[in-house]
Amino acid sequence: CVASETCALDLCKAEYVRDVAPGEMVIIDRSTVASGMFTSLHLPNKFGLSQCIFEYVYFARPDSLVFGDSVTKVRRAHGRQLAREHPVPKVAAGELIPVVVPVPDSATHATIGFVNECCALGFPCEQDLGFFRNPYVGRSFIAPNQENRDLKVRCKFNPMQHVVKDRIVVLLDDSIVRGTTAKQLIGLVKSAGAKEVHFRVASPPVTDPCFYGMDFPSKKELFANAHMGDLKKMAEWLGVTSIGYLSPEGLVTSTTGKDFAPDHGFCRACFTGVYPVPPSHVDLPVLESKPDLPDNIFTKR
């Protein structure tokens, strides 16, 4: 069988064999059913390997293997790197240490890495669940309009007052797209009695639309662009004391476990504006192509 994530294979007790390679077309026909063996076609590759790094940030389930690596492991590494770059605030002696609250559920594992690394670096804090998440409400940022997105957030999250009341709260999310969900969650934490709210993001600012399938409709709707990348203005609009993003380089090094290199093999276009495959309808910066390879097969239709 073939699946988009390995967690689907776990459900039907299938053995994970390998990933479908980039540009590979797996053929399942009568001979496949009879023999149990797949055949493949491989499309010509003009632009090199550029796997979507946002799978690790948000899309994939934490119990999956993506691009050959554990999503849980990578997200915890993102959190550790975020702690090195933007740890929790230090508090005076005798004060309660900050409580770090993940935005359920995709920020949970980044928060574990963040809290562990903050404590190791001498920034004491603790993790707790600050929201009850309604499991019957879907992802809010892909709802078709702002009114629906706002309603989904209100139905989806309820703050846990006993966790955040009179505490310095560090709210940690995997990403910010439009910012409206983050603003509402911060408002909920404040309404539950938080003494102070800080915001940490386990990915860089989203600055550019995705032309490969994600719902980022325009640059002007993206939170970072609406505030011209000014962190102070972002914090003021959200209503937090401070905000800290994982750097683009930190995202790559914590994902790969290696020093940063230009040929890291991931698409970061939504964070950098550099597109590995040039969109045909806009004039945008792109990565260098490989002229010795044949044209992309899809341009020949």
Side-chain angles (χ1 to χ4, degrees), residues 99 101 130 159-167 169 189 192-195:
V99 57
V101 172
M160 309 285 276
Q161 187 176 16
H162 71 281
V163 173
V164 302
K165 185 176 175 58
D166 299 324
R167 299 291 299 273
V169 177
V189 171
K195 176 182 176 181

Side-chain angles (χ1 to χ4, degrees), residues 204-208 248-249 264 267-276 285 287:
V206 176
T207 56
D208 290 86
E249 295 76 16
H264 47 71
C267 174
R268 302 180 299 155
C270 55
F271 302 125
T272 64
V274 178
Y275 293 82
L287 295 177

